[in-house]
PDB file of all heavy atoms in Angstrom:
ATOM      1  N   LEU A   1     -37.544  37.949  19.439  1.00  0.00           N
ATOM      2  CA  LEU A   1     -37.683  36.591  19.988  1.00  0.00           C
ATOM      3  C   LEU A   1     -36.926  35.581  19.127  1.00  0.00           C
ATOM      4  O   LEU A   1     -36.300  34.648  19.664  1.00  0.00           O
ATOM      5  CB  LEU A   1     -39.166  36.237  20.070  1.00  0.00           C
ATOM      6  CG  LEU A   1     -39.983  37.004  21.143  1.00  0.00           C
ATOM      7  CD1 LEU A   1     -41.462  36.773  20.935  1.00  0.00           C
ATOM      8  CD2 LEU A   1     -39.570  36.594  22.542  1.00  0.00           C
ATOM      9  N   GLU A   2     -36.993  35.748  17.789  1.00  0.00           N
ATOM     10  CA  GLU A   2     -36.232  34.841  16.923  1.00  0.00           C
ATOM     11  C   GLU A   2     -34.742  34.950  17.185  1.00  0.00           C
ATOM     12  O   GLU A   2     -34.032  33.933  17.244  1.00  0.00           O
ATOM     13  CB  GLU A   2     -36.545  35.187  15.464  1.00  0.00           C
ATOM     14  CG  GLU A   2     -37.928  34.750  15.031  1.00  0.00           C
ATOM     15  CD  GLU A   2     -38.250  35.199  13.614  1.00  0.00           C
ATOM     16  OE1 GLU A   2     -37.383  35.891  13.038  1.00  0.00           O
ATOM     17  OE2 GLU A   2     -39.329  34.856  13.102  1.00  0.00           O
ATOM     18  N   TYR A   3     -34.270  36.225  17.360  1.00  0.00           N
ATOM     19  CA  TYR A   3     -32.834  36.405  17.686  1.00  0.00           C
ATOM     20  C   TYR A   3     -32.498  35.733  19.017  1.00  0.00           C
ATOM     21  O   TYR A   3     -31.434  35.112  19.171  1.00  0.00           O
ATOM     22  CB  TYR A   3     -32.501  37.893  17.747  1.00  0.00           C
ATOM     23  CG  TYR A   3     -32.528  38.603  16.431  1.00  0.00           C
ATOM     24  CD1 TYR A   3     -32.959  39.925  16.334  1.00  0.00           C
ATOM     25  CD2 TYR A   3     -32.137  37.945  15.259  1.00  0.00           C
ATOM     26  CE1 TYR A   3     -33.009  40.578  15.108  1.00  0.00           C
ATOM     27  CE2 TYR A   3     -32.170  38.602  14.035  1.00  0.00           C
ATOM     28  CZ  TYR A   3     -32.611  39.905  13.956  1.00  0.00           C
ATOM     29  OH  TYR A   3     -32.643  40.568  12.766  1.00  0.00           O
ATOM     30  N   LYS A   4     -33.428  35.871  20.022  1.00  0.00           N
ATOM     31  CA  LYS A   4     -33.183  35.238  21.329  1.00  0.00           C
ATOM     32  C   LYS A   4     -33.119  33.724  21.198  1.00  0.00           C
ATOM     33  O   LYS A   4     -32.294  33.059  21.823  1.00  0.00           O
ATOM     34  CB  LYS A   4     -34.288  35.634  22.301  1.00  0.00           C
ATOM     35  CG  LYS A   4     -34.154  37.054  22.832  1.00  0.00           C
ATOM     36  CD  LYS A   4     -35.252  37.357  23.826  1.00  0.00           C
ATOM     37  CE  LYS A   4     -35.121  38.794  24.345  1.00  0.00           C
ATOM     38  NZ  LYS A   4     -36.217  39.147  25.274  1.00  0.00           N
ATOM     39  N   ILE A   5     -34.028  33.165  20.356  1.00  0.00           N
ATOM     40  CA  ILE A   5     -34.025  31.699  20.154  1.00  0.00           C
ATOM     41  C   ILE A   5     -32.702  31.265  19.547  1.00  0.00           C
ATOM     42  O   ILE A   5     -32.111  30.258  19.973  1.00  0.00           O
ATOM     43  CB  ILE A   5     -35.225  31.306  19.267  1.00  0.00           C
ATOM     44  CG1 ILE A   5     -36.527  31.454  20.059  1.00  0.00           C
ATOM     45  CG2 ILE A   5     -35.090  29.874  18.771  1.00  0.00           C
ATOM     46  CD1 ILE A   5     -37.769  31.538  19.201  1.00  0.00           C
ATOM     47  N   GLU A   6     -32.228  32.043  18.540  1.00  0.00           N
ATOM     48  CA  GLU A   6     -30.931  31.696  17.918  1.00  0.00           C
ATOM     49  C   GLU A   6     -29.796  31.768  18.925  1.00  0.00           C
ATOM     50  O   GLU A   6     -28.922  30.891  18.961  1.00  0.00           O
ATOM     51  CB  GLU A   6     -30.655  32.651  16.754  1.00  0.00           C
ATOM     52  CG  GLU A   6     -31.557  32.389  15.563  1.00  0.00           C
ATOM     53  CD  GLU A   6     -31.344  33.399  14.452  1.00  0.00           C
ATOM     54  OE1 GLU A   6     -30.502  34.300  14.674  1.00  0.00           O
ATOM     55  OE2 GLU A   6     -31.984  33.281  13.396  1.00  0.00           O
ATOM     56  N   ASP A   7     -29.833  32.850  19.805  1.00  0.00           N
ATOM     57  CA  ASP A   7     -28.798  32.949  20.845  1.00  0.00           C
ATOM     58  C   ASP A   7     -28.856  31.771  21.803  1.00  0.00           C
ATOM     59  O   ASP A   7     -27.818  31.223  22.214  1.00  0.00           O
ATOM     60  CB  ASP A   7     -28.983  34.261  21.620  1.00  0.00           C
ATOM     61  CG  ASP A   7     -28.705  35.459  20.753  1.00  0.00           C
ATOM     62  OD1 ASP A   7     -27.912  35.322  19.796  1.00  0.00           O
ATOM     63  OD2 ASP A   7     -29.276  36.542  21.039  1.00  0.00           O
ATOM     64  N   LEU A   8     -30.107  31.385  22.194  1.00  0.00           N
ATOM     65  CA  LEU A   8     -30.245  30.237  23.109  1.00  0.00           C
ATOM     66  C   LEU A   8     -29.751  28.953  22.447  1.00  0.00           C
ATOM     67  O   LEU A   8     -29.138  28.094  23.121  1.00  0.00           O
ATOM     68  CB  LEU A   8     -31.708  30.100  23.534  1.00  0.00           C
ATOM     69  CG  LEU A   8     -32.224  31.190  24.511  1.00  0.00           C
ATOM     70  CD1 LEU A   8     -33.723  31.128  24.616  1.00  0.00           C
ATOM     71  CD2 LEU A   8     -31.589  31.014  25.881  1.00  0.00           C
ATOM     72  N   LYS A   9     -30.029  28.824  21.136  1.00  0.00           N
ATOM     73  CA  LYS A   9     -29.512  27.635  20.435  1.00  0.00           C
ATOM     74  C   LYS A   9     -27.997  27.583  20.484  1.00  0.00           C
ATOM     75  O   LYS A   9     -27.392  26.544  20.772  1.00  0.00           O
ATOM     76  CB  LYS A   9     -29.993  27.663  18.988  1.00  0.00           C
ATOM     77  CG  LYS A   9     -31.441  27.258  18.815  1.00  0.00           C
ATOM     78  CD  LYS A   9     -31.850  27.329  17.341  1.00  0.00           C
ATOM     79  CE  LYS A   9     -33.300  26.959  17.142  1.00  0.00           C
ATOM     80  NZ  LYS A   9     -33.703  27.074  15.726  1.00  0.00           N
ATOM     81  N   GLN A  10     -27.392  28.750  20.191  1.00  0.00           N
ATOM     82  CA  GLN A  10     -25.918  28.808  20.254  1.00  0.00           C
ATOM     83  C   GLN A  10     -25.419  28.488  21.657  1.00  0.00           C
ATOM     84  O   GLN A  10     -24.432  27.781  21.839  1.00  0.00           O
ATOM     85  CB  GLN A  10     -25.445  30.194  19.819  1.00  0.00           C
ATOM     86  CG  GLN A  10     -25.613  30.458  18.342  1.00  0.00           C
ATOM     87  CD  GLN A  10     -25.168  31.834  17.946  1.00  0.00           C
ATOM     88  OE1 GLN A  10     -24.760  32.606  18.801  1.00  0.00           O
ATOM     89  NE2 GLN A  10     -25.274  32.154  16.666  1.00  0.00           N
ATOM     90  N   HIS A  11     -26.163  29.032  22.698  1.00  0.00           N
ATOM     91  CA  HIS A  11     -25.748  28.785  24.084  1.00  0.00           C
ATOM     92  C   HIS A  11     -25.855  27.297  24.433  1.00  0.00           C
ATOM     93  O   HIS A  11     -24.981  26.730  25.106  1.00  0.00           O
ATOM     94  CB  HIS A  11     -26.639  29.628  25.010  1.00  0.00           C
ATOM     95  CG  HIS A  11     -26.188  29.602  26.448  1.00  0.00           C
ATOM     96  ND1 HIS A  11     -24.944  30.062  26.834  1.00  0.00           N
ATOM     97  CD2 HIS A  11     -26.806  29.161  27.566  1.00  0.00           C
ATOM     98  CE1 HIS A  11     -24.818  29.907  28.140  1.00  0.00           C
ATOM     99  NE2 HIS A  11     -25.937  29.364  28.605  1.00  0.00           N
ATOM    100  N   THR A  12     -26.942  26.652  23.963  1.00  0.00           N
ATOM    101  CA  THR A  12     -27.094  25.203  24.216  1.00  0.00           C
ATOM    102  C   THR A  12     -25.975  24.406  23.547  1.00  0.00           C
ATOM    103  O   THR A  12     -25.440  23.457  24.120  1.00  0.00           O
ATOM    104  CB  THR A  12     -28.451  24.732  23.690  1.00  0.00           C
ATOM    105  OG1 THR A  12     -28.607  25.171  22.339  1.00  0.00           O
ATOM    106  CG2 THR A  12     -29.595  25.274  24.534  1.00  0.00           C
ATOM    107  N   LEU A  13     -25.634  24.808  22.307  1.00  0.00           N
ATOM    108  CA  LEU A  13     -24.526  24.116  21.632  1.00  0.00           C
ATOM    109  C   LEU A  13     -23.223  24.262  22.408  1.00  0.00           C
ATOM    110  O   LEU A  13     -22.479  23.287  22.583  1.00  0.00           O
ATOM    111  CB  LEU A  13     -24.358  24.679  20.216  1.00  0.00           C
ATOM    112  CG  LEU A  13     -25.475  24.347  19.228  1.00  0.00           C
ATOM    113  CD1 LEU A  13     -25.305  25.168  17.954  1.00  0.00           C
ATOM    114  CD2 LEU A  13     -25.463  22.864  18.887  1.00  0.00           C
ATOM    115  N   GLU A  14     -22.998  25.497  22.911  1.00  0.00           N
ATOM    116  CA  GLU A  14     -21.776  25.705  23.712  1.00  0.00           C
ATOM    117  C   GLU A  14     -21.811  24.868  24.983  1.00  0.00           C
ATOM    118  O   GLU A  14     -20.792  24.284  25.392  1.00  0.00           O
ATOM    119  CB  GLU A  14     -21.652  27.189  24.052  1.00  0.00           C
ATOM    120  CG  GLU A  14     -21.290  28.046  22.858  1.00  0.00           C
ATOM    121  CD  GLU A  14     -21.290  29.515  23.187  1.00  0.00           C
ATOM    122  OE1 GLU A  14     -21.628  29.854  24.347  1.00  0.00           O
ATOM    123  OE2 GLU A  14     -20.981  30.340  22.288  1.00  0.00           O
ATOM    124  N   LEU A  15     -23.004  24.838  25.644  1.00  0.00           N
ATOM    125  CA  LEU A  15     -23.124  24.027  26.868  1.00  0.00           C
ATOM    126  C   LEU A  15     -22.899  22.549  26.570  1.00  0.00           C
ATOM    127  O   LEU A  15     -22.249  21.836  27.354  1.00  0.00           O
ATOM    128  CB  LEU A  15     -24.498  24.249  27.499  1.00  0.00           C
ATOM    129  CG  LEU A  15     -24.718  25.630  28.155  1.00  0.00           C
ATOM    130  CD1 LEU A  15     -26.174  25.797  28.529  1.00  0.00           C
ATOM    131  CD2 LEU A  15     -23.844  25.783  29.393  1.00  0.00           C
ATOM    132  N   GLN A  16     -23.456  22.062  25.449  1.00  0.00           N
ATOM    133  CA  GLN A  16     -23.227  20.658  25.075  1.00  0.00           C
ATOM    134  C   GLN A  16     -21.742  20.374  24.854  1.00  0.00           C
ATOM    135  O   GLN A  16     -21.218  19.346  25.290  1.00  0.00           O
ATOM    136  CB  GLN A  16     -24.018  20.337  23.812  1.00  0.00           C
ATOM    137  CG  GLN A  16     -25.525  20.178  24.059  1.00  0.00           C
ATOM    138  CD  GLN A  16     -26.308  19.977  22.796  1.00  0.00           C
ATOM    139  OE1 GLN A  16     -25.716  19.949  21.720  1.00  0.00           O
ATOM    140  NE2 GLN A  16     -27.638  19.851  22.924  1.00  0.00           N
ATOM    141  N   GLU A  17     -21.076  21.316  24.200  1.00  0.00           N
ATOM    142  CA  GLU A  17     -19.624  21.139  24.006  1.00  0.00           C
ATOM    143  C   GLU A  17     -18.897  21.112  25.344  1.00  0.00           C
ATOM    144  O   GLU A  17     -17.995  20.294  25.560  1.00  0.00           O
ATOM    145  CB  GLU A  17     -19.093  22.281  23.138  1.00  0.00           C
ATOM    146  CG  GLU A  17     -19.517  22.177  21.688  1.00  0.00           C
ATOM    147  CD  GLU A  17     -19.060  23.369  20.884  1.00  0.00           C
ATOM    148  OE1 GLU A  17     -18.464  24.295  21.494  1.00  0.00           O
ATOM    149  OE2 GLU A  17     -19.297  23.395  19.661  1.00  0.00           O
ATOM    150  N   ASN A  18     -19.313  22.029  26.276  1.00  0.00           N
ATOM    151  CA  ASN A  18     -18.685  22.038  27.605  1.00  0.00           C
ATOM    152  C   ASN A  18     -18.936  20.728  28.347  1.00  0.00           C
ATOM    153  O   ASN A  18     -18.063  20.210  29.048  1.00  0.00           O
ATOM    154  CB  ASN A  18     -19.220  23.210  28.418  1.00  0.00           C
ATOM    155  CG  ASN A  18     -18.718  24.533  27.900  1.00  0.00           C
ATOM    156  OD1 ASN A  18     -17.569  24.609  27.439  1.00  0.00           O
ATOM    157  ND2 ASN A  18     -19.539  25.561  27.936  1.00  0.00           N
ATOM    158  N   ILE A  19     -20.187  20.196  28.179  1.00  0.00           N
ATOM    159  CA  ILE A  19     -20.508  18.906  28.855  1.00  0.00           C
ATOM    160  C   ILE A  19     -19.621  17.785  28.314  1.00  0.00           C
ATOM    161  O   ILE A  19     -19.100  16.960  29.071  1.00  0.00           O
ATOM    162  CB  ILE A  19     -22.006  18.596  28.657  1.00  0.00           C
ATOM    163  CG1 ILE A  19     -22.842  19.542  29.521  1.00  0.00           C
ATOM    164  CG2 ILE A  19     -22.327  17.155  29.025  1.00  0.00           C
ATOM    165  CD1 ILE A  19     -24.282  19.628  29.098  1.00  0.00           C
ATOM    166  N   GLN A  20     -19.475  17.786  26.974  1.00  0.00           N
ATOM    167  CA  GLN A  20     -18.608  16.749  26.383  1.00  0.00           C
ATOM    168  C   GLN A  20     -17.172  16.870  26.886  1.00  0.00           C
ATOM    169  O   GLN A  20     -16.534  15.860  27.236  1.00  0.00           O
ATOM    170  CB  GLN A  20     -18.645  16.861  24.864  1.00  0.00           C
ATOM    171  CG  GLN A  20     -19.961  16.392  24.262  1.00  0.00           C
ATOM    172  CD  GLN A  20     -20.012  16.607  22.768  1.00  0.00           C
ATOM    173  OE1 GLN A  20     -19.042  17.086  22.197  1.00  0.00           O
ATOM    174  NE2 GLN A  20     -21.140  16.239  22.142  1.00  0.00           N
ATOM    175  N   LYS A  21     -16.705  18.149  26.974  1.00  0.00           N
ATOM    176  CA  LYS A  21     -15.350  18.348  27.512  1.00  0.00           C
ATOM    177  C   LYS A  21     -15.262  17.873  28.961  1.00  0.00           C
ATOM    178  O   LYS A  21     -14.281  17.254  29.375  1.00  0.00           O
ATOM    179  CB  LYS A  21     -14.979  19.828  27.417  1.00  0.00           C
ATOM    180  CG  LYS A  21     -14.694  20.301  26.012  1.00  0.00           C
ATOM    181  CD  LYS A  21     -14.375  21.774  26.005  1.00  0.00           C
ATOM    182  CE  LYS A  21     -14.137  22.275  24.583  1.00  0.00           C
ATOM    183  NZ  LYS A  21     -13.868  23.737  24.568  1.00  0.00           N
ATOM    184  N   GLY A  22     -16.327  18.208  29.762  1.00  0.00           N
ATOM    185  CA  GLY A  22     -16.336  17.776  31.165  1.00  0.00           C
ATOM    186  C   GLY A  22     -16.339  16.266  31.298  1.00  0.00           C
ATOM    187  O   GLY A  22     -15.669  15.699  32.170  1.00  0.00           O
ATOM    188  N   LYS A  23     -17.114  15.611  30.399  1.00  0.00           N
ATOM    189  CA  LYS A  23     -17.136  14.134  30.432  1.00  0.00           C
ATOM    190  C   LYS A  23     -15.764  13.553  30.124  1.00  0.00           C
ATOM    191  O   LYS A  23     -15.305  12.588  30.768  1.00  0.00           O
ATOM    192  CB  LYS A  23     -18.160  13.633  29.415  1.00  0.00           C
ATOM    193  CG  LYS A  23     -19.594  13.793  29.891  1.00  0.00           C
ATOM    194  CD  LYS A  23     -20.574  13.293  28.832  1.00  0.00           C
ATOM    195  CE  LYS A  23     -22.012  13.461  29.299  1.00  0.00           C
ATOM    196  NZ  LYS A  23     -22.966  13.016  28.270  1.00  0.00           N
ATOM    197  N   LYS A  24     -15.101  14.185  29.109  1.00  0.00           N
ATOM    198  CA  LYS A  24     -13.744  13.703  28.777  1.00  0.00           C
ATOM    199  C   LYS A  24     -12.799  13.891  29.957  1.00  0.00           C
ATOM    200  O   LYS A  24     -12.022  12.988  30.302  1.00  0.00           O
ATOM    201  CB  LYS A  24     -13.223  14.471  27.571  1.00  0.00           C
ATOM    202  CG  LYS A  24     -13.871  14.047  26.271  1.00  0.00           C
ATOM    203  CD  LYS A  24     -13.319  14.878  25.106  1.00  0.00           C
ATOM    204  CE  LYS A  24     -13.992  14.504  23.799  1.00  0.00           C
ATOM    205  NZ  LYS A  24     -13.500  15.318  22.681  1.00  0.00           N
ATOM    206  N   GLU A  25     -12.887  15.098  30.594  1.00  0.00           N
ATOM    207  CA  GLU A  25     -12.030  15.339  31.764  1.00  0.00           C
ATOM    208  C   GLU A  25     -12.354  14.371  32.897  1.00  0.00           C
ATOM    209  O   GLU A  25     -11.461  13.886  33.606  1.00  0.00           O
ATOM    210  CB  GLU A  25     -12.222  16.784  32.232  1.00  0.00           C
ATOM    211  CG  GLU A  25     -11.607  17.808  31.270  1.00  0.00           C
ATOM    212  CD  GLU A  25     -11.863  19.221  31.715  1.00  0.00           C
ATOM    213  OE1 GLU A  25     -12.571  19.387  32.725  1.00  0.00           O
ATOM    214  OE2 GLU A  25     -11.366  20.147  31.030  1.00  0.00           O
ATOM    215  N   LYS A  26     -13.675  14.099  33.095  1.00  0.00           N
ATOM    216  CA  LYS A  26     -14.084  13.149  34.143  1.00  0.00           C
ATOM    217  C   LYS A  26     -13.507  11.761  33.882  1.00  0.00           C
ATOM    218  O   LYS A  26     -13.017  11.080  34.801  1.00  0.00           O
ATOM    219  CB  LYS A  26     -15.611  13.108  34.170  1.00  0.00           C
ATOM    220  CG  LYS A  26     -16.191  12.315  35.322  1.00  0.00           C
ATOM    221  CD  LYS A  26     -17.708  12.377  35.289  1.00  0.00           C
ATOM    222  CE  LYS A  26     -18.289  11.537  36.434  1.00  0.00           C
ATOM    223  NZ  LYS A  26     -19.769  11.527  36.398  1.00  0.00           N
ATOM    224  N   ALA A  27     -13.560  11.345  32.610  1.00  0.00           N
ATOM    225  CA  ALA A  27     -13.013  10.017  32.270  1.00  0.00           C
ATOM    226  C   ALA A  27     -11.506   9.979  32.520  1.00  0.00           C
ATOM    227  O   ALA A  27     -10.991   8.992  33.085  1.00  0.00           O
ATOM    228  CB  ALA A  27     -13.310   9.704  30.805  1.00  0.00           C
ATOM    229  N   ASN A  28     -10.828  11.068  32.138  1.00  0.00           N
ATOM    230  CA  ASN A  28      -9.376  11.130  32.372  1.00  0.00           C
ATOM    231  C   ASN A  28      -9.057  11.073  33.861  1.00  0.00           C
ATOM    232  O   ASN A  28      -8.139  10.356  34.304  1.00  0.00           O
ATOM    233  CB  ASN A  28      -8.801  12.390  31.771  1.00  0.00           C
ATOM    234  CG  ASN A  28      -8.860  12.377  30.259  1.00  0.00           C
ATOM    235  OD1 ASN A  28      -8.712  11.322  29.644  1.00  0.00           O
ATOM    236  ND2 ASN A  28      -9.077  13.551  29.670  1.00  0.00           N
ATOM    237  N   ILE A  29      -9.843  11.848  34.648  1.00  0.00           N
ATOM    238  CA  ILE A  29      -9.602  11.867  36.103  1.00  0.00           C
ATOM    239  C   ILE A  29      -9.915  10.505  36.712  1.00  0.00           C
ATOM    240  O   ILE A  29      -9.209  10.019  37.619  1.00  0.00           O
ATOM    241  CB  ILE A  29     -10.447  12.978  36.746  1.00  0.00           C
ATOM    242  CG1 ILE A  29      -9.887  14.346  36.315  1.00  0.00           C
ATOM    243  CG2 ILE A  29     -10.422  12.887  38.262  1.00  0.00           C
ATOM    244  CD1 ILE A  29     -10.851  15.477  36.514  1.00  0.00           C
ATOM    245  N   ALA A  30     -10.995   9.827  36.240  1.00  0.00           N
ATOM    246  CA  ALA A  30     -11.338   8.481  36.752  1.00  0.00           C
ATOM    247  C   ALA A  30     -10.216   7.498  36.455  1.00  0.00           C
ATOM    248  O   ALA A  30      -9.854   6.664  37.309  1.00  0.00           O
ATOM    249  CB  ALA A  30     -12.655   8.024  36.111  1.00  0.00           C
ATOM    250  N   ALA A  31      -9.655   7.605  35.223  1.00  0.00           N
ATOM    251  CA  ALA A  31      -8.544   6.707  34.864  1.00  0.00           C
ATOM    252  C   ALA A  31      -7.339   6.963  35.767  1.00  0.00           C
ATOM    253  O   ALA A  31      -6.690   6.015  36.242  1.00  0.00           O
ATOM    254  CB  ALA A  31      -8.164   6.916  33.411  1.00  0.00           C
ATOM    255  N   GLU A  32      -7.073   8.266  36.001  1.00  0.00           N
ATOM    256  CA  GLU A  32      -5.960   8.583  36.910  1.00  0.00           C
ATOM    257  C   GLU A  32      -6.218   8.037  38.313  1.00  0.00           C
ATOM    258  O   GLU A  32      -5.290   7.532  38.984  1.00  0.00           O
ATOM    259  CB  GLU A  32      -5.776  10.103  36.947  1.00  0.00           C
ATOM    260  CG  GLU A  32      -5.185  10.667  35.672  1.00  0.00           C
ATOM    261  CD  GLU A  32      -5.079  12.164  35.706  1.00  0.00           C
ATOM    262  OE1 GLU A  32      -5.491  12.753  36.727  1.00  0.00           O
ATOM    263  OE2 GLU A  32      -4.613  12.757  34.707  1.00  0.00           O
TER     264      GLU A  32
END
């Protein structure tokens, strides 16, 4: 379970990074 929690933490960090990238892309597309 501890290993699963660590994996989920890593997955959340990756998802947060993807969200930030998506927000940046959204802002770029809105500007365009």
Side-chain angles (χ1 to χ4, degrees):
L1 290 169
E2 287 176 357
Y3 290 145
K4 284 182 181 177
I5 288 161
E6 289 176 358
D7 293 333
L8 288 168
K9 283 179 181 178
Q10 289 179 358
H11 188 61
T12 51
L13 291 170
E14 289 175 357
L15 289 171
Q16 285 175 0
E17 288 176 357
N18 289 325
I19 288 162
Q20 288 176 1
K21 287 178 182 178
K23 284 179 180 178
K24 286 179 182 178
E25 289 177 356
K26 188 178 178 182
N28 292 325
I29 291 162
E32 288 177 359

